Amino acid sequence: MNKKTRFNLFYALLAVLGVLAVQDLFARSQAVATIPYSQFQTLVRQGDVEKVVIGPDRIEGSLKKPLEGKSRFVTTRVDPDISKELDAAGVTYAGRLESNLVPMLLSWILPVLFFFGIWMVLARRFQGAGGPGGGLMAIGKSKAKVYVETDTRTTFADVAGVDEAKAELAEIVAFLKDPRSFGRLGARMPKGVLLVGPPGTGKTLLAKAVAGEASVPFFSISGSEFVEMFVGVGAARVRDLFEQARKKAPAIIFIDELDALGRARNGVAGMSGGHDEKEQTLNQLLVELDGFDAQSGLVLLAATNRPEVLDPALLRAGRFDRQVLVDRPDRLGRVQILEVHARKVQLAPEVKLEEVAALTPGFTGADLANLVNEAALAATRRGAEATAVTLADFNAAIERIVAGLERKNRLLNPKEREVVAHHELGHALVAAALAGADPVHKISIIPRGIGALGYTIQRPTEDRFLMTREELLTKMAVLMGGRAAEHLVFGHLSTGAADDISRATDIARSMVTRFGMGPRLGPVTYESDPGGFLGGMAGPRRLYAEETAREIDMAVRELTDGAFQRARQLLVQNRELLAEGARRLLERETLSDGELAEVLGQVRREVPRAA
């Protein structure tokens, strides 16, 4: 509700109250004499009353002879018993005549004001949900947050580790700064640019950096904010968003989580399409993308981590012409990201961010930002003696992120501690005995996280993008090392290897069904890649018969059994070392660096098998 509307309603309310007051005064000022009840009784006895109208509280009537120039009178009734006593005593008495203005206010005007107040509250709530300047009609307004060039304060200098994506978006910046000269050879900029990548890789930060570099207004909105319970509201918001952006062109429209708005209408991966409201909103977005001129200075940026569920009509040429992959950074990219986030942290001189980056393969930009913050918190916990963040603080932060929080209050009985110690030593010894396995960095039997009673941390020496069949088999053998150690030492199995078995089984099934590495099934794909950066929500599709399913199960079992037997054989060769390492681990609870090297340095390595 705008200011003008509130002003008019206030004066209308004052006018109503004024009319009621005037009516009451007019009724009082008419030619009516207000007389005491005792005088009324005297006039009745004298025969001066012509006629009366008797009400529950008052008596009105006319007189045969005017009284003080007034032929009408009004009086208030008094209890007859009391009036007789007062007459006998010769007392002049009268009833009390009250105005009906206050009862009218209480019975009629106050309820109206109450409901008017409720209406005002609802109107403001709708207005706040739909944006300024519209009252109830503002529900169809865009919810986009508009940042001017002074608000974004983000440039490409604040974005690191995604050099290829920055180079792609640098063209957008040049176009926004000078659209005409950019198209001097007849080229046009893409209408839409889709930023695709896993969560936390910096897609939203990149979009803000483009707006900051180009110094243009930045309209930011989430895909879920278009869809409401009211049919047609989403489409109206899309129209309003583009209309606002055209008025401020050149400008950037950024839609985060585009999959909430642009999901395929005919369903993807076994999922049904959206309801009518979502389809109407998506259709309006498609129309707007077709309608605006690429030379008008508008650029649509969108981000998603689930491109596989987007509607094909949204991704065709002429709408989202370009897709920019914002992937997890490599080792050099992680160093650059750590340098950006470490500007606000006091680092010890011995800390080398290259070493920290080597310890964090697979971390996204958001993970690295959290890592720097956790390292700073770990240094703060050390007390007043901590003057800077050390490499040990970074190691503690990595363990906290990867393995979870230490649970020192969870006390294991001696038998369980012994089983966990041999289990973790089994992982470490198998990894040390196999060529190509990632080196072991730390072993601990201190419980962490939700279900881990101990942990073994391996650190890869380099980023890997391809893995051979032998490397996958090695990985499975290391996972089976804990279960093999329990079986070898105690002669029974426990539930502690549940997660190891699950991960090994997933690797074996992928080898058989996706990578064509099965023993007998050959180079055939039996399950499609679920796709996307979050994995298949509906699971992989089955493309084989029941007989083939049995063969797949047998092949998976053969691979996992082979990994278990391979790990057990290596532990048999290093039985004394397994017992000695478990004894040290039970004494110290954690082995790392030099102590771990003393144990693993004596491992008898596996003899390479003949090809």
Side-chain angles (χ1 to χ4, degrees), residues 134-204:
L136 292 174
M137 296 302 295
I139 194 171
K141 296 289 184 180
S142 170
K143 291 185 176 182
K145 297 178 181 178
V146 183
Y147 300 90
V148 297
E149 55 271 17
T150 57
D151 293 335
T152 53
R153 298 178 183 178
T154 304
T155 63
F156 283 153
D158 302 309
V159 184
V162 284
D163 294 337
E164 296 84 358
K166 287 165 62 175
E168 288 280 343
L169 296 174
E171 293 184 356
I172 305 295
V173 175
F175 166 71
L176 290 170
K177 287 184 175 180
D178 192 358
R180 294 185 179 179
S181 63
F182 188 87
R184 59 187 175 82
L185 298 180
R188 67 168 182 83
M189 277 307 298
K191 290 185 178 181
V193 178
L194 182 63
L195 304 178
V196 180
T201 51
K203 300 182 290 295
T204 303

Side-chain angles (χ1 to χ4, degrees), residues 213-262:
E213 290 284 342
S215 297
V216 298
F218 180 71
F219 292 78
S220 177
I221 191 170
S222 174
S224 60
E225 293 185 66
F226 285 105
V227 182
E228 295 282 355
M229 63 180 292
F230 304 104
V231 177
V233 171
R237 286 183 176 168
V238 172
R239 289 191 296 268
D240 184 71
L241 173 62
F242 278 84
E243 182 179 352
Q244 292 183 40
R246 289 189 189 97
K247 293 178 181 178
K248 295 182 177 291
I252 293 177
I253 300 174
F254 176 63
I255 302 177
D256 201 4
E257 303 298 342
L258 182 64
D259 49 276
L261 168 65

Side-chain angles (χ1 to χ4, degrees), residues 564-592:
F564 176 81
Q565 295 300 330
R566 186 182 182 187
R568 192 177 191 281
Q569 181 61 34
L570 290 172
L571 293 176
V572 169
Q573 297 175 5
N574 296 274
R575 178 67 181 268
E576 295 80 4
L577 195 58
L578 175 63
E580 174 63 18
R583 184 187 63 78
R584 291 192 182 187
L585 187 58
L586 287 170
E587 291 177 357
R588 305 179 182 271
E589 290 189 334
T590 299
L591 296 178
S592 59

Side-chain angles (χ1 to χ4, degrees), residues 186-399:
R188 67 168 182 83
M189 277 307 298
K191 290 185 178 181
V193 178
L194 182 63
L195 304 178
V196 180
T201 51
K203 300 182 290 295
T204 303
L205 186 65
L206 264 175
K208 289 185 178 180
V210 172
E213 290 284 342
S215 297
V216 298
F218 180 71
F219 292 78
S220 177
I221 191 170
S222 174
S224 60
E225 293 185 66
F226 285 105
V227 182
E228 295 282 355
M229 63 180 292
F230 304 104
V231 177
V233 171
R237 286 183 176 168
V238 172
R239 289 191 296 268
D240 184 71
L241 173 62
F242 278 84
E243 182 179 352
Q244 292 183 40
R246 289 189 189 97
K247 293 178 181 178
K248 295 182 177 291
I252 293 177
I253 300 174
F254 176 63
I255 302 177
D256 201 4
E257 303 298 342
L258 182 64
D259 49 276
L261 168 65
R263 187 184 297 271
R265 288 166 289 185
N266 59 348
V268 173
M271 294 178 288
S272 60
H275 55 71
D276 291 341
E277 169 63 6
K278 284 189 176 181
E279 290 189 5
Q280 289 182 18
T281 307
L282 175 58
N283 290 338
Q284 186 62 43
L285 178 61
L286 298 177
V287 171
E288 293 293 342
L289 284 174
D290 286 334
F292 77 84
D293 183 8
Q295 301 299 328
S296 63
L298 282 184
V299 173
L300 177 63
L301 297 180
T304 183
N305 47 40
R306 300 192 60 199
E308 75 280 358
V309 304
L310 295 179
D311 195 285
L314 193 62
L315 301 179
R316 73 160 176 82
R319 286 170 178 161
F320 280 100
D321 297 304
R322 184 176 298 179
Q323 294 189 23
V324 177
L325 177 62
V326 188
D327 207 351
R328 290 182 174 89
D330 56 12
R331 184 170 180 172
L332 179 59
R334 293 197 296 275
V335 174
Q336 296 172 353
I337 295 173
L338 287 170
E339 289 175 349
V340 171
H341 294 295
R343 295 172 186 170
K344 302 178 182 179
V345 178
Q346 183 68 35
L347 296 180
E350 68 273 9
V351 175
K352 296 182 179 179
L353 297 180
E354 292 79 4
E355 297 180 5
V356 178
L359 301 177
T360 55
F363 276 42
T364 64
D367 295 331
L368 294 172
N370 184 40
L371 171 64
V372 174
N373 184 63
E374 287 290 346
L377 291 175
T380 305
R381 293 189 198 100
R382 289 191 283 112
E385 75 277 2
T387 59
V389 181
T390 64
L391 186 60
D393 296 322
F394 277 99
N395 287 328
I398 292 174
E399 292 176 12

Side-chain angles (χ1 to χ4, degrees), residues 340-604:
V340 171
H341 294 295
R343 295 172 186 170
K344 302 178 182 179
V345 178
Q346 183 68 35
L347 296 180
E350 68 273 9
V351 175
K352 296 182 179 179
L353 297 180
E354 292 79 4
E355 297 180 5
V356 178
L359 301 177
T360 55
F363 276 42
T364 64
D367 295 331
L368 294 172
N370 184 40
L371 171 64
V372 174
N373 184 63
E374 287 290 346
L377 291 175
T380 305
R381 293 189 198 100
R382 289 191 283 112
E385 75 277 2
T387 59
V389 181
T390 64
L391 186 60
D393 296 322
F394 277 99
N395 287 328
I398 292 174
E399 292 176 12
R400 181 169 186 151
I401 293 173
V402 174
L405 182 66
E406 283 190 1
R407 306 182 64 181
K408 295 183 178 181
N409 58 343
R410 173 175 284 186
L411 301 178
L412 304 179
N413 61 51
K415 182 63 175 179
E416 289 177 335
R417 294 181 76 252
E418 188 176 359
V419 172
V420 172
H422 285 85
H423 180 103
E424 300 303 335
L425 253 299
H427 288 307
L429 291 177
V430 173
L434 290 174
D438 294 331
V440 178
H441 172 74
K442 187 176 184 179
I443 310 173
S444 177
I445 57 173
I446 299 176
R448 277 185 177 268
I450 298 178
L453 302 179
Y455 58 93
T456 301
I457 297 180
Q458 294 177 264
R459 296 281 170 78
T461 56
E462 59 183 354
D463 292 345
R464 299 297 304 275
F465 302 98
L466 293 175
M467 295 192 74
T468 64
R469 185 176 187 274
E470 288 302 320
E471 289 171 338
L472 291 173
L473 292 175
T474 297
K475 192 174 183 67
M476 292 175 58
V478 174
L479 288 171
M480 289 294 186
R483 186 178 180 88
E486 292 182 27
H487 185 267
L488 178 64
V489 175
F490 302 102
H492 60 75
L493 304 175
S494 72
T495 60
D499 184 64
D500 300 329
I501 297 174
S502 176
R503 293 165 59 189
T505 304
D506 289 340
I507 295 174
R509 183 165 293 276
S510 295
M511 291 175 63
V512 173
T513 60
R514 293 179 53 201
F515 306 143
M517 298 178 180
R520 294 182 299 273
L521 295 172
V524 180
T525 298
Y526 293 99
E527 289 182 357
S528 61
D529 186 357
F533 300 101
L534 300 180
M537 302 299 291
R541 291 184 297 165
R542 173 173 167 171
L543 304 174
Y544 45 84
E546 291 295 335
E547 184 176 349
T548 306
R550 182 175 181 275
E551 293 291 332
I552 290 174
D553 291 341
M554 294 178 63
V556 171
R557 185 182 305 169
E558 183 176 341
L559 289 173
T560 53
D561 287 346
F564 176 81
Q565 295 300 330
R566 186 182 182 187
R568 192 177 191 281
Q569 181 61 34
L570 290 172
L571 293 176
V572 169
Q573 297 175 5
N574 296 274
R575 178 67 181 268
E576 295 80 4
L577 195 58
L578 175 63
E580 174 63 18
R583 184 187 63 78
R584 291 192 182 187
L585 187 58
L586 287 170
E587 291 177 357
R588 305 179 182 271
E589 290 189 334
T590 299
L591 296 178
S592 59
D593 301 330
E595 297 175 343
L596 187 59
E598 290 181 8
V599 176
L600 301 184
Q602 307 174 39
V603 172
R604 296 175 57 185

